[in-house]
């Protein structure tokens, strides 16, 4: 009798929890076991240099192939990983996997700068810079082929330590991009202070870019700022030839977005590279493409 009573208490406890809390518990558990079960994988989205018209890098984007839920996108699970703290372990796996992939491409004679997104929680680990350098060393990848993408909000909390970490990374040759640029605060003071190597203009500006709109002027200002500070500027979320044309005209260094390619599996990205040439660039530029 005691047993069933205990069970009833447990059931009462469960039913008193919100469905949302149960979802979170379920998700956190599933996300935890996902690492051991090999359910995570990376997709790679190419970045085009507008001047050389070459693919110069890729952004590694995390995917979760859940047996119960199917393919889950990061917007639906990164925050749960951050709350449980598992983002640190998963983030280490992302770094290790992306670094190993960058080494494979380098050895194949196609060097790519591989960008990896980093959460604040990961960045706050005491020995994180040492871990990154050790992973590069073990893989035999030159630090210049790795880029870390951080956000302004990540930098703002604990600025002194963050400054030291970014300086340590860049002094050893690792590149550091400021992701979603323009959506945070204190952009100018942080840019002056941190040795950032690339600015990524947030997609929300690119979506609204049309000649003489506010978004156009903001983007132009970011590009000019990058030129003044000698920081490369990339626009993310480029979807139309019109956006491409305006960005090229304004002197943007690189673009990333569905116009060029969606994020791809390794074999699909390699096939994309094999077939990439003037044709794709012309298609990107062509105003007729979407008409
Ligand atoms: P993000 O770093 O700003 O990545 C760009 C996001 O925009 C990606 O979404 C990408 O698929 C999407 N995107 C690229 N081009 C276009 C386009 O032309 N149009 C539209 N509508 N979207 C485009 P995704 O893969 O869902 O990633 C979302 C966010 O999740 C990322 O934003 C990043 O903040 C986070 N994330 C992804 N992978 C990781 C990871 O390994 N670690 C951490 N900590 N965060 C990650
Ligand atoms: Mg990013
Ligand atoms: Mg971004
Ligand atoms: Mg973004």
């Amino acid at each position: 009798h005691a047993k069933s009573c205990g069970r009833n208490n447990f059931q009462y406890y469960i039913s008193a929890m919100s469905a949302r809390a149960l979802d979170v518990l379920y998700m956190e558990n599933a996300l935890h076991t996902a690492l051991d079960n090999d359910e995570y994988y990376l997709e790679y989205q190419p970045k085009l240099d507008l001047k050389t018209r070459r693919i110069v890098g890729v952004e590694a984007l995390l995917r979760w192939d859940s047996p119960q839920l199917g393919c889950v996108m990061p917007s639906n699970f990164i925050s749960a990983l951050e709350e449980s703290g598992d983002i640190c372990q998963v983030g280490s796996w992302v770094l290790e996997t992306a670094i190993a992939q960058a080494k494979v491409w380098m050895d194949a004679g196609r060097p790519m700068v591989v960008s990896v997104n980093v959460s604040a929680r990961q960045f706050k680990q005491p020995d994180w810079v040492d871990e990154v350098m050790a992973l590069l060393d073990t893989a035999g990848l030159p630090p210049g082929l790795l880029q870390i993408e951080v956000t302004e909000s990540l930098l703002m909390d604990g600025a002194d330590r963050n400054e030291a970490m970014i300086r340590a990374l860049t002094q050893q040759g690792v590149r550091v991009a400021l992701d979603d640029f323009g959506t945070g605060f204190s952009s100018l003071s942080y840019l002056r202070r941190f040795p950032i190597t690339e600015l990524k203009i947030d997609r929300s500006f690119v979506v609204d870019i049309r000649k003489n709109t506010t978004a156009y002027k903001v983007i132009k200002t970011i590009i000019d700022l990058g030129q003044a500070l000698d920081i490369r500027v990339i626009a993310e979320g480029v979807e139309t030839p019109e956006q491409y044309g305006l960005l090229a005209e304004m002197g943007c260094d690189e673009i990333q977005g569905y116009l060029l390619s969606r994020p791809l599996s390794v074999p699909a990205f390699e096939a994309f590279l094999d077939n990439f040439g003037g044709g794709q660039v012309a298609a990107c530029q062509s105003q007729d493409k979407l008409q």
Side-chain angles (χ1 to χ4, degrees):
H1 195 257
K3 203 174 170 186
S4 73
C5 192
R7 192 151 150 210
N8 286 342
N9 281 341
F10 182 66
Q11 279 167 352
Y12 173 77
Y13 174 66
I14 290 290
S15 62
M17 292 172 77
S18 69
R20 168 94 191 110
L22 265 179
D23 282 352
V24 170
L25 269 186
Y26 171 79
M27 278 285 276
E28 288 191 354
N29 184 52
L31 285 163
H32 185 78
T33 52
L35 199 54
D36 287 333
N37 295 344
D38 280 334
E39 291 163 18
Y40 291 115
Y41 64 99
L42 298 180
E43 286 191 326
Y44 297 89
Q45 189 177 34
K47 298 180 175 183
L48 175 73
D49 184 309
L50 292 182
K51 290 180 193 77
T52 64
R53 297 173 173 206
R54 287 175 169 276
I55 304 299
V56 286
V58 287
E59 179 172 10
L61 294 158
L62 183 59
R63 302 288 180 257
W64 174 31
D65 185 12
S66 156
Q68 287 81 29
L69 305 169
C71 181
V72 191
M73 300 302 275
S75 55
N76 298 313
F77 67 87
I78 293 281
S79 60
L81 280 175
E82 283 168 346
E83 270 160 48
S84 71
D86 281 343
I87 191 66
C88 294
Q89 257 191 299
V90 175
S92 297
W93 177 85
V94 171
L95 266 170
E96 192 180 352
T97 307
I99 286 171
Q101 188 57 60
K103 175 73 162 101
V104 168
W105 286 326
M106 183 187 89
D107 289 347
R110 297 167 149 177
M112 292 285 145
V113 176
V114 177
S115 285
V116 173
N117 294 284
V118 173
S119 289
R121 187 117 181 211
Q122 268 176 284
F123 202 78
K124 285 198 178 104
Q125 297 173 99
D127 303 322
W128 192 72
V129 172
D130 294 339
E131 186 196 325
V132 174
M133 298 316 298
L135 286 170
L136 285 167
D137 193 50
T138 305
L141 188 76
L145 289 179
L146 177 67
Q147 176 162 270
I148 301 298
E149 295 195 4
V150 298
T151 59
E152 290 167 278
S153 56
L154 180 149
L155 295 185
M156 286 170 68
D157 173 25
D160 287 342
R161 182 174 173 272
N162 294 339
E163 183 185 347
M165 285 178 70
I166 289 178
R167 209 164 286 285
L169 286 169
T170 54
Q171 273 171 358
Q172 297 179 88
V174 176
R175 302 169 192 236
V176 179
L178 209 43
D179 205 355
D180 304 332
F181 187 72
T183 59
F185 300 102
S186 307
S187 307
L188 281 176
S189 60
Y190 279 86
L191 273 190
R192 224 161 58 111
R193 184 163 171 186
F194 296 103
I196 297 295
T197 39
E198 183 174 273
L199 291 179
K200 295 195 77 173
I201 302 173
D202 191 62
R203 191 172 76 223
S204 59
F205 297 105
V206 175
V207 163
D208 292 331
I209 182 177
R210 267 171 302 280
K211 201 117 195 178
N212 296 322
T213 57
T214 308
Y216 179 93
K217 291 174 192 163
V218 168
I219 289 179
K220 179 74 175 117
T221 304
I222 297 174
I223 291 170
D224 291 347
L225 188 64
Q227 281 170 356
L229 299 175
D230 200 21
I231 302 174
R232 288 183 70 80
V233 177
I234 179 167
E236 67 176 15
V238 178
E239 293 182 357
T240 70
E242 188 197 5
Q243 291 164 351
Y244 176 106
L246 291 170
L247 289 160
E249 182 187 299
M250 285 191 269
C252 192
D253 296 299
E254 290 173 35
I255 60 152
Q256 178 183 347
Y258 294 169
L259 177 67
L260 185 63
S261 169
R262 290 186 174 256
L264 301 168
S265 67
V266 170
F269 173 69
E270 289 174 350
F272 170 86
L273 269 189
D274 288 340
N275 297 320
F276 187 80
Q280 272 89 349
V281 179
C284 282
Q285 286 171 318
S286 165
Q287 297 287 332
D288 309 330
K289 194 190 171 196
L290 299 183
Q291 287 166 9

